[in-house]
Each structure stands twice: as C-alpha cells, then as structure tokens.
Amino acid sequence: MSVKLPTNHKHLAVICGLKGDVNGLLTLSELSYKADGNQYREWPLRQKGCGKVRYIQSPRPRLCYVQTRLYMELLSRLEVAEAAFGGVIGHDNIQNASIHTGNRFVFNTDIQNFYPTLNSSMVYRALLNVGFIPRIASIITKLTTYKGSVPTGAPTSSAIANIVMSEFDEIVSAHASKRDLQYTRFVDDIVLSGQYDFRHSGSVAFILESIRSFGLKYHNRKTCFLDLERNGSVLITGIDVSLECIQPSRAIRRLVKSGEYSTGLLGYIERIKQVDDDLWKR
C-alpha cells in the first residue's frame, strides 16, 4: 500500500489529528518517550503458566488518540514484508498458521522480551530506511517509544515492530524461498516449515544466528522442531496445524464441547473453517 510520507511538522500534526498544531505535536513527542513525562500508565501482568511478570505500558488518552491516528493514517499503510502477519491489516493469526498446513516438518521459536528489546535507535534507523526524513523520523520515534524502547500496549507498537523487523523478515524469507521452505512471523512468533527434514540443513542455525545478529534473543524453552507425522499437530499462533488441516486449539475445542462459549468464539471458529476451506480450494 503506497502512502505519501510527511515531510514537515505541520503535515505530521494533521496526520496525528492535531489540526496542524505543531507546538502541540512537538510537546507531546518530547513528553511521551520520557520516563517522567506522565504519558503512560504502567502495571505488571503475571504470565499464565510460567508465573513470570511482564510490564504493560498503556498510553494516556491524548497520546493514545495521537498514536491511533498515526497508526491508521500512516504506519498501517506502509509496506512491510509479506512474511509479517501480526499487526497487519487484512492478516491474522489464522492466516499465519494456514501457511504451514501440509508441511511435515515445522521449526518454531519465540523472540524473548520482544517489544522491550526494540529500542529507539532501531526504530529511528528503520524509519529512515522506509524513507522518512530525519526530523520526521525523530518525532515518530519519540511518539512510539517509551523509556527508550517500544511499549507493550500502545496502538502503534505492532506496526513499528513490523517496520523494525522488515529487514530481518526479508533476509529470512529469501533464505527460505531458495530452499523451498515457508517462513512467517507473527509479532514475536517465528515459524519455518517444509516438506523435508531441514533440521540439519543450516536453516535453523541461520534463523537463530539472524535473531542474534539483529540484537535479539530467542526463548530456548519455546524453540522446537517437530515432525508432524510423529507428533500429529503443532500449535501455531493459537491454531492447531496438522498435515491435513487447521482447526481451533484443543483448549477452545474443549470449551465448545462443554458448552462454555460465547457467540464471538463461534465466529472465530467459523473464521478458521473459512480459511481452511479456502486453503484446500487453491
């Protein structure tokens, strides 16, 4: 999707819904990325299963409004790698999982502390690579980072992450394509799959080394390589993927069987069925 990039402060202020108020834009950008700027509410969230705590940074109403406008009017319209499915309009976790249906061998890993690891320098450089001029890239960086990194809980974070990860996605996608493998990334979840056992072909090592070279870390306990003829299925971004089809996770199927489900959940299941039907009509 092509979009005209702003080249001056007033244009960016209009995009952000500030009616051309340049001083308001500059003031908010200076406050938003500072720890003492009082533009975020921050609280701990204990993760299910492991008991670890991660911190959520939620922007206060005025900043949230500006970030939402910035996302809808600009960031969401920028081109990102085809392999990126999280935070991309028209893409979702179901489509992400469906890419790997029918492939016998699946490698899955997860980037550790994803948003907090994406620092403001990474964001600024990525925005320059997209084509933003330095002064505009600087303001957008300040509006979309907090305490020097991408906040967990801002409406702009997934789009900014995709921009930062574009180079990584293109490099890994090119590697995968040359080897008849399928690669996708859904936010911090990375999947590589294929018809043949590529475990010792160098592709797994290539991905892990690429993660490290980009200044990121992967979760050892969330890194695995599966043979679906032996394992039956694998959970990819909340979807159960097998050699034959995609279907809701076992947890969701148990809810349906027990009768403890909502209308929204039924709609989600229908969406999975639709994507699965479309997959086999290709």
Side-chain angles (χ1 to χ4, degrees):
M1 184 185 298
S2 61
V3 59
K4 184 177 180 180
L5 303 183
T7 57
N8 58 67
H9 292 159
K10 188 171 184 179
H11 186 189
L12 182 59
V14 171
I15 288 172
C16 291
L18 297 177
K19 299 180 180 179
D21 181 4
V22 173
N23 288 333
L25 174 72
L26 296 178
T27 299
L28 186 61
S29 69
E30 289 298 322
L31 289 173
S32 63
Y33 80 105
K34 293 180 179 179
D36 59 354
N38 196 34
Q39 295 301 309
Y40 285 88
R41 293 170 294 169
E42 190 169 10
W43 69 90
L45 179 66
R46 190 169 298 278
Q47 295 175 266
K48 294 180 180 179
C50 63
K52 290 185 178 180
V53 174
R54 65 177 178 134
Y55 286 87
I56 306 297
Q57 300 89 25
S58 177
R60 295 190 182 277
R62 179 170 169 79
L63 178 59
C64 186
Y65 168 77
V66 167
Q67 289 177 336
T68 300
R69 286 273 309 197
L70 182 61
Y71 170 75
M72 294 301 298
E73 300 298 327
L74 182 61
L75 299 179
S76 67
R77 302 184 181 192
L78 299 176
E79 290 188 9
V80 296
E82 291 184 7
F85 281 81
V88 179
I89 293 176
H91 286 180
D92 58 25
N93 64 309
I94 303 171
Q95 291 171 312
N96 176 73
S98 72
I99 297 294
H100 305 282
T101 307
N103 285 341
R104 175 178 170 181
F105 299 94
V106 178
F107 170 73
N108 189 199
T109 191
D110 183 274
I111 299 175
Q112 190 173 357
N113 297 322
F114 183 55
Y115 286 137
T117 306
L118 303 180
N119 61 50
S120 54
S121 295
M122 291 177 175
V123 173
Y124 179 70
R125 288 196 303 269
L127 291 171
L128 292 179
N129 289 338
V130 169
F132 288 99
I133 61 174
R135 61 180 177 172
I136 299 299
S138 177
I139 294 173
I140 294 176
T141 298
K142 290 176 180 178
L143 286 172
T144 58
T145 58
Y146 174 60
K147 294 183 180 179
S149 63
V150 175
T152 302
T156 49
S157 292
S158 59
I160 286 293
N162 285 335
I163 294 169
V164 172
M165 293 294 290
S166 284
E167 184 181 358
F168 175 90
D169 289 336
E170 295 292 355
I171 289 172
V172 177
S173 292
H175 175 93
S177 179
K178 290 177 181 177
R179 291 158 180 80
D180 294 323
L181 299 172
Q182 279 71 51
Y183 161 73
T184 64
R185 181 183 57 81
F186 191 91
V187 190
D188 57 354
D189 191 89
I190 289 174
V191 182
L192 188 70
S193 68
Q195 298 284 355
Y196 64 95
D197 189 346
F198 57 90
R199 186 174 355 198
H200 305 297
S201 68
S203 292
V204 171
F206 178 84
I207 286 185
L208 297 181
E209 180 55 37
S210 295
I211 291 173
R212 286 190 290 263
S213 70
F214 271 76
L216 306 171
K217 296 180 180 180
Y218 58 88
H219 271 290
N220 279 315
R221 66 181 182 83
K222 294 184 179 180
T223 299
C224 62
F225 189 96
L226 297 175
D227 177 351
L228 298 193
E229 282 198 1
R230 295 181 179 179
N231 299 96
S233 65
V234 59
L235 196 66
I236 298 177
T237 52
I239 303 296
D240 209 25
V241 178
S242 69
L243 286 169
E244 295 81 22
C245 65
I246 60 172
Q247 59 181 330
S249 66
R250 291 178 183 175
I252 289 181
R253 297 201 302 270
R254 282 197 296 267
L255 279 176
V256 173
K257 286 183 179 179
S258 68
E260 299 175 2
Y261 56 85
S262 63
T263 303
L265 182 60
L266 288 180
Y268 179 67
I269 293 171
E270 286 302 315
R271 167 70 179 147
I272 295 173
K273 290 179 179 178
Q274 178 190 350
V275 172
D276 189 54
D277 287 344
D278 292 343
L279 179 70
W280 295 110
K281 287 176 183 177
R282 294 174 190 172

